[in-house]
Amino acid sequence: MAIVTGAARGVGRGIVLRLAQEGARVVAADLSPCDETIDEVRKLVPECYVCAASVNVIEGESVDALVASTVREHDRLDLIVNNAAVVQTMMMLADTPDKEFDRIFSVNFRGVFNGSRAAARVMREQKNGCIINIGSWYAKQGFANFAVYCATKAAVMRMTEALALEMAPFGVRANTVCPGNTETEMLKKAMREEATLRNITYEKQVQHVKDSIPLGRLGRPEDIAAAIVYLASPEGEYITGEALNVNGGVIFS
């Protein structure tokens, strides 16, 4: 049984679809309605079990309730993918207001913490399970005008490393997947903002991003989903505490 947060669109929707294709039973969870995700998945995988759930990841009680209801109905939790995230408005750290800091931190770090904690409590008792947190290549290096976003994703990566060590004695694995620039509405928003800052067209900004990727294209949600399937599968059973880049070959110093 799997839970995917941030499942209403983008990468989250792609993860739900791929897990369903692999035969997993999936709870698609989000603060926004997941109707479109459920409809798409059932259309492409008619025989699958998938259901929607409402969750506010920044509230621990909401996440705890989601995990508890899943376990109550399905007897166990095999996988949680803590995917829900928001992108910050591009700005210098010196110009970042408290409200923006709190918005990014509460979803990108506290939300992942809440999901990891709730799943770990269940999986510790099961003596089995897999926790996968979605980080970012921005966790590996600082980027101007994204200081808070970078910091939250780095925090996710380090927290997951510690969690992996804590949970290993219970047979539970924890890993981070670090996507690069992936074709989602979140990325499009960021590229529009950067195009404005650089005083170039949106089209030129898109090409600039593609040119920075060795494989020459933006990532797709299915690229991220494939990595998750591998890490959650028996083939990935000896991997824990890893932060796996899925970014088209970008290398960090």
Side-chain angles (χ1 to χ4, degrees), residues 7-219:
R9 61 183 66 81
V11 170
R13 181 178 295 177
I15 294 168
V16 173
L17 175 57
R18 179 62 190 272
L19 289 175
Q21 290 171 328
E22 295 292 327
R25 296 176 295 166
V26 188
V27 176
D30 206 304
L31 188 60
S32 301
C34 287
D35 297 348
E36 291 183 10
T37 295
I38 299 301
D39 290 345
E40 180 177 339
V41 172
R42 287 177 175 165
K43 179 180 179 181
L44 295 173
V45 193
E47 71 280 8
C48 74
Y49 174 90
V50 62
C51 67
S54 178
V55 67
N56 185 348
V57 297
I58 71 175
E59 296 179 357
E61 290 182 355
S62 179
V63 180
D64 290 346
L66 169 67
V67 170
S69 65
T70 300
V71 174
R72 187 166 55 249
E73 185 168 347
H74 302 281
D75 298 323
R76 60 182 298 105
L77 177 63
D78 301 291
L79 169 67
I80 189 168
V81 182
N82 292 303
N83 166 73
V86 292
V87 67
Q88 77 169 85
T89 302
M90 290 183 66
M91 63 180 68
M92 295 177 66
L93 184 147
D95 300 324
T96 302
D98 289 349
K99 185 176 181 180
E100 181 69 356
F101 176 91
D102 292 341
R103 182 179 74 91
I104 305 304
F105 184 89
S106 63
V107 178
N108 290 6
F109 183 66
R110 183 178 294 279
V112 174
F113 167 81
N114 286 338
S116 296
R117 180 177 61 180
R121 288 169 172 167
V122 170
M123 293 175 180
R124 181 173 58 186
E125 297 302 316
Q126 292 177 169
K127 301 294 192 293
N128 183 261
C130 185
I131 299 168
I132 299 179
N133 294 327
I134 303 301
S136 170
W137 64 317
Y138 278 38
K140 306 285 186 80
Q141 179 176 310
F143 288 83
N145 301 305
F146 283 101
V148 178
Y149 183 83
C150 291
T152 59
K153 291 300 187 177
V156 165
M157 186 175 71
R158 294 305 182 208
M159 180 189 71
T160 307
E161 291 172 353
L163 179 64
L165 295 175
E166 294 173 359
M167 299 303 292
F170 303 99
V172 177
R173 297 183 296 110
N175 290 289
T176 308
V177 171
C178 295
N181 284 311
T182 306
E183 288 184 290
T184 62
E185 289 304 315
M186 185 182 293
L187 176 64
K188 290 177 182 178
K189 175 182 181 294
M191 289 194 296
R192 289 189 188 99
E193 289 181 5
E194 189 163 356
T196 300
L197 286 176
R198 299 179 64 210
N199 197 28
I200 62 175
T201 66
Y202 174 73
E203 290 72 22
K204 286 185 178 180
Q205 177 61 30
V206 172
Q207 190 58 51
H208 169 74
V209 171
K210 289 180 179 179
D211 289 343
S212 71
I213 301 170
L215 287 182
R217 68 166 175 86
L218 298 174

